[in-house]
Amino acid sequence: MQLAAKLGAPFGYLGLEDARIKMQELYRELGYLYARVEPEPRFSADRTRVEVTFRIVERYPVRVSGVVFRGLMRTNESLARSRLQLHEGDLYRPSLARRSEELLLELGVFSGATISVEDEDLPAREKRIVVTLSERRTQYLETSLGISTGQGIRAGFEYGYRNLFGSAISTSLRVQFGYQFFLIDPVVQGHFDKLSLADRLERRVTLGITAPYIWGLPNVRGSIEASHIRHNERQFGYDNNSAVLSLSWRPSRPLNITISGEIENNNLNLFGGEALAVLREDTASDPRLSRLLRIPSGESTL
């Protein structure tokens, strides 16, 4: 523990108070919640030197006698309890209380989480801890509508539910539709006129489910996402159906490891009968189109 008040260092009351606070926090971390640290400075006759004595009253360690939840209405108490790092019989340590707050917030269903000792002003060897939670709204709906000469008319919505069955599992449905009718090039207009309504109606439909914990482990989360896409360019159009499964492990705060697998089915339709190799060569300078044309012509599964 580094203290501002050191032997031979200039004396200052701010440094002395910093040393007192750090020593008291150390005792609290060891479970001595009601320990008191009082510094007593004694100056020499010429006031050029000072001797500081720290008087420490440890009292007794404080243990957890129980847990009380407040503000928990839609989330399962067993789930919230599983995120706690403090249990009955444990020494009360502020660092474990802070870590428990972080784990509760990582569930994504709480906007606030605070853990404190019940009636902290009344010293006792055993204290209940109070977990105060603020739950977020479980549902949300967002809509959008727009029109432009570049993309035509666009409309969409996103619906989400954050706390399925009180288990902090979230699901979301995103739907976007588009219809391009601002076509100046007669050749492109001819290609689009030959498309069926289903092929001309561009769309993106995505359904996702996310679980903030897997197998009861607080630092392992998983998600699965299924999507359907229909998109048209000037020279081609394609359908894409895919599913992605991801697992994420966070062994420490700065490190996150993710593994995912994806299966997708594509159907690439070239307009005007142009060969795929020629089209790839013509669009080589456009990274976006080159990326879209990586799949083979016709139907394929990856």
Side-chain angles (χ1 to χ4, degrees), residues 79-85 100 103-104 106-107 212-213 217-218:
L79 173 60
R81 191 178 293 272
S82 70
R83 313 294 280 190
L84 298 182
Q85 302 296 292
S100 299
L103 291 175
L104 285 166
E106 286 177 2
L107 288 174
Y213 55 90
L217 301 175

Side-chain angles (χ1 to χ4, degrees), residues 167-208:
S167 61
I169 296 175
S170 62
T171 182
S172 64
L173 174 65
R174 295 186 296 274
V175 178
Q176 295 174 304
F177 291 105
Y179 190 85
Q180 175 59 278
F181 55 90
F182 291 111
L183 296 171
I184 300 176
D185 190 328
V187 176
V188 176
Q189 179 72 62
H191 295 330
F192 274 59
D193 289 342
K194 295 177 182 178
L195 297 175
S196 65
L197 177 60
D199 286 343
R200 187 161 180 176
L201 182 65
E202 296 182 282
R203 55 198 175 270
R204 178 185 294 267
V205 182
T206 305
L207 176 65

Side-chain angles (χ1 to χ4, degrees), residues 107 118-119 126 136 158 168 185 187 250-251 272:
L107 288 174
E118 188 178 41
D119 298 326
E126 293 187 345
R136 302 172 65 186
E158 179 176 351
D185 190 328
V187 176
R250 189 179 185 183

